[in-house]
């Protein structure tokens, strides 16, 4: 039986590139249907992440022209990860597999063929992995390497040089629905679901039109979200540092007492040093312990909605 495929494309202020990449995605979808690789019910689902330009108007126009195109619009900008999750959740019960891809055309859409082959061979998750970073600037290339090493050091399971271009089966998405975090980082969370996975390698291209919406500040925010939503090691480092300060405080207290006994100190200096060292160590340990509990609560008990869908091109969509 041929699998039903939904290609999920998050968009934010993409009025320049959408008219260029949408026909590419549609052509690929039709070709896959034509050769019998996927079912005719397959489609492309564009997710408008609260764009302030004509992105939603373009999506609705595309949906009117082709039955293979659908769209949903979020009530406000929720960020790339939440927009992508909204699309995946929307497609979850309507398809067998999803492929998420960015709207800018940098990811090779032709790699979808190999992803589907991997799925048919038994993989429930297929990661699209860049074979090189020659299209990146020197700064972006090296900060990306530092980021993946940092994530690995923090104990976060990620696929090196994989962004959000991947195939995920509906089985995985249904299991993933049990993950209730609001602060999400899909690149690190999906490996936690388990199931058999594999990788497909491809060459990443230059952006076809428009400008990247990922500023250095947004990339830093994404990195911090990835670390704080999947690891409590930073908090444990604070605890360890507090313990080290406490040990040094004890040494400082002993030293200040000796200096006082030998008569080599200024009056009041020893007592002040003892108090400052002791309180500094106790405070750091206390903050570390409290932070450990806050970190656990932060990871486990988030309850705000991750997104709100305001409009749909297909009024029959549930």
């Amino acid at each position: 039986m041929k699998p039903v495929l939904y290609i999920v494309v998050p968009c934010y202020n993409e009025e320049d590139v959408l008219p260029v990449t949408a026909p590419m995605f549609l052509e690929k979808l039709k070709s896959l249907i034509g050769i019998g690789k996927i079912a005719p019910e397959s489609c492309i689902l564009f997710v408008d992440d609260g764009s302030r330009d004509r992105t939603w108007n373009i999506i609705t126009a595309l949906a009117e022209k082709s039955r293979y195109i659908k769209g949903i619009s979020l009530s406000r900008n929720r960020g790339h990860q939440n927009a992508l999750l909204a699309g995946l959740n929307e497609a979850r019960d309507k398809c067998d597999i999803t492929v998420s891809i960015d709207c800018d055309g940098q990811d090779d859409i032709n790699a979808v063929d190999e992803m589907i082959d991997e799925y048919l061979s038994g993989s429930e998750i297929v990661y699209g992995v860049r074979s090189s970073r020659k299209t990146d600037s020197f700064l972006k290339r090296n900060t990306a390497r530092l980021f993946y090493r940092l994530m690995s050091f923090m104990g976060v399971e990620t696929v090196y040089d994989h962004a959000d271009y991947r195939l995920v089966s509906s089985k995985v998405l249904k299991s993933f629905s049990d993950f209730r975090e609001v602060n999400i980082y899909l690149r690190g969370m999906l490996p936690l679901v388990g199931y058999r996975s594999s990788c497909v390698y491809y060459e990443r291209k230059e952006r076809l039109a428009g400008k990247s919406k990922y500023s250095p500040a947004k990339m830093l925010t994404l990195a911090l979200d990835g670390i704080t939503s999947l690891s409590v090691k930073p908090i444990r480092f604070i605890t360890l540092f507090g313990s080290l300060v406490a040990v040094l405080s004890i040494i400082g207290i002993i030293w200040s007492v000796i200096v006082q006994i030998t008569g080599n100190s200024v009056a009041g200096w020893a007592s002040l040093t003892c108090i400052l060292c002791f309180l500094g160590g106790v405070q750091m340990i206390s903050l570390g312990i409290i932070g450990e509990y806050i970190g656990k609560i932060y990871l486990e008990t988030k309850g705000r909605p991750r997104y709100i869908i305001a409009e749909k091109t297909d009024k029959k969509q549930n």
Side-chain angles (χ1 to χ4, degrees):
M1 187 174 179
K2 301 170 186 175
V4 176
L5 166 67
Y6 267 53
I7 299 177
V8 179
V9 188
C11 308
Y12 177 64
N13 292 343
E14 299 289 6
E15 64 178 3
D16 293 328
V17 75
L18 194 54
V20 179
T21 55
M24 292 171 47
F25 299 153
L26 183 58
E27 181 183 357
K28 169 54 64 176
L29 185 79
K30 288 181 177 179
S31 69
L32 291 170
I33 294 173
I35 62 177
K37 209 160 195 173
I38 58 176
E41 298 83 8
S42 301
C43 74
I44 303 168
L45 178 62
F46 290 100
V47 183
D48 178 30
D49 185 22
S51 298
R52 292 171 293 179
D53 61 4
R54 296 180 57 255
T55 296
W56 180 240
N57 294 333
I58 295 173
I59 292 172
T60 54
L62 290 168
E64 289 174 358
K65 293 179 181 178
S66 175
R67 66 184 181 88
Y68 295 113
I69 293 180
K70 298 180 181 180
I72 60 175
S73 177
L74 304 189
S75 60
R76 52 159 293 195
N77 177 247
R78 298 295 300 177
H80 179 272
Q81 296 292 285
N82 282 306
L84 178 54
L85 181 64
L88 294 174
N89 284 340
E90 185 72 18
R92 182 180 62 210
D93 298 323
K94 302 179 178 71
C95 66
D96 300 302
I97 52 176
T98 63
V99 169
S100 57
I101 186 170
D102 286 341
C103 186
D104 54 22
Q106 290 188 272
D107 297 319
D108 185 8
I109 188 63
N110 293 314
V112 172
D113 298 66
E114 193 174 347
M115 288 182 176
I116 296 173
D117 290 337
E118 289 292 325
Y119 167 74
L120 295 174
S121 297
S123 294
E124 299 291 342
I125 305 176
V126 184
Y127 300 103
V129 180
R130 299 175 61 169
S131 55
S132 69
R133 283 189 168 270
K134 59 185 180 183
T135 59
D136 286 350
S137 64
F138 176 83
L139 177 62
K140 188 173 181 179
R141 182 166 54 250
N142 286 279
T143 52
R145 289 172 179 168
L146 177 62
F147 168 69
Y148 283 111
R149 289 172 183 169
L150 178 61
M151 293 292 282
S152 178
F153 177 71
M154 291 293 177
V156 178
E157 184 180 352
T158 56
V159 178
Y160 190 81
D161 275 345
H162 163 70
D164 287 295
Y165 186 26
R166 69 179 78 86
L167 178 149
V168 182
S169 72
S170 59
K171 181 192 294 186
V172 173
L173 290 177
K174 287 172 183 176
S175 298
F176 187 70
S177 64
D178 292 330
F179 286 64
R180 299 298 183 181
E181 289 94 333
V182 174
N183 183 30
I184 60 172
Y185 181 70
L186 295 176
R187 303 177 197 180
M189 292 173 68
L190 280 170
L192 298 177
V193 182
Y195 294 106
R196 178 178 169 182
S197 64
S198 58
C199 296
V200 167
Y201 297 87
Y202 68 96
E203 286 285 340
R204 201 159 195 255
K205 310 169 188 175
E206 296 284 351
R207 186 181 177 89
L208 296 182
K211 296 181 179 179
S212 173
K213 307 304 181 295
Y214 259 105
S215 64
K218 284 189 176 181
M219 287 189 286
L220 179 60
T221 299
L222 180 64
L224 291 174
D225 284 344
I227 293 172
T228 56
S229 65
L230 293 167
S231 174
V232 294
K233 276 194 174 182
I235 297 174
R236 288 177 179 160
F237 289 153
I238 293 175
T239 304
L240 291 174
F241 181 68
S243 300
L244 176 62
V245 171
V247 172
L248 294 176
S249 299
I250 294 173
I251 296 174
I253 291 171
I254 296 173
W255 175 67
S256 62
V257 170
I258 293 174
V259 170
Q260 177 66 25
I261 293 174
T262 57
N264 295 321
S265 66
V266 178
W269 175 87
S271 58
L272 181 62
T273 301
C274 290
I275 293 171
L276 289 176
C277 288
F278 178 76
L279 289 179
V282 169
Q283 286 174 347
M284 291 296 289
I285 292 176
S286 299
L287 285 173
I289 294 173
I290 294 170
E292 188 79 26
Y293 283 97
I294 293 175
K296 290 291 195 304
I297 295 170
Y298 178 68
L299 291 172
E300 300 296 337
T301 61
K302 305 168 188 175
R304 291 173 295 176
R306 292 174 287 197
Y307 57 85
I308 298 172
I309 297 176
E311 294 183 68
K312 299 180 181 182
T313 57
D314 185 355
K315 303 303 180 182
K316 295 180 181 180
Q317 286 178 275
N318 297 319

